[in-house]
């Protein structure tokens, strides 16, 4: 592994830790929706079934969670979530 791959890996680990801290500060419903949608790559329908709520509720929780995450961690948080969570 070259030094650039190592640096990239460290940056990903740091970003994951940073996002995890931000996620822990969200209300549980918003956090659960984001984890299912981004980390587990579940569809809205799957997430609704797991969470025991409607698809519109999953959409609301996801939207509110992304807004709150962005307001606490900055506008790049959503982009990092999409990149790092995969």
């Amino acid at each position: 592994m070259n030094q650039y791959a190592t640096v990239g890996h460290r940056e990903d680990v740091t970003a994951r830790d940073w996002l995890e801290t931000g996620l822990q500060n969200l209300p549980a419903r918003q956090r659960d929706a984001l984890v299912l949608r981004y980390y587990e790559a579940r569809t809205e329908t799957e997430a609704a079934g797991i969470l025991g709520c409607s698809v519109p509720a999953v959409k609301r929780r996801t939207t509110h969670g992304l807004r709150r995450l962005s307001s606490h961690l900055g506008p790049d948080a959503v982009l990092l979530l999409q990149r790092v969570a995969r």
Side-chain angles (χ1 to χ4, degrees):
M1 185 182 306
N2 66 37
Q3 79 182 44
Y4 298 109
T6 302
V7 169
H9 174 73
R10 272 190 248 138
E11 288 173 354
D12 280 350
V13 169
T14 300
R16 283 179 192 266
D17 290 345
W18 180 65
L19 284 171
E20 187 173 320
T21 299
L23 287 168
Q24 291 303 316
N25 291 319
L26 295 177
R29 289 179 175 186
Q30 292 173 11
R31 180 178 56 247
D32 293 345
L34 290 177
V35 167
L36 288 170
R37 294 288 289 130
Y38 289 95
Y39 281 87
E40 295 187 15
R42 303 288 185 135
T43 66
E44 290 168 341
T45 303
E46 290 173 328
I50 292 167
L51 296 172
C53 64
S54 66
V55 170
V58 170
K59 289 180 180 183
R60 275 191 309 277
R61 292 173 188 182
T62 301
T63 298
H64 292 163
L66 290 173
R67 275 193 205 134
R68 184 171 273 183
L69 197 62
S70 180
S71 73
H72 286 106
L73 298 180
D76 292 336
V78 174
L79 295 174
L80 277 172
L81 178 63
Q82 293 169 339
R83 184 179 65 89
V84 173
R86 304 263 181 237

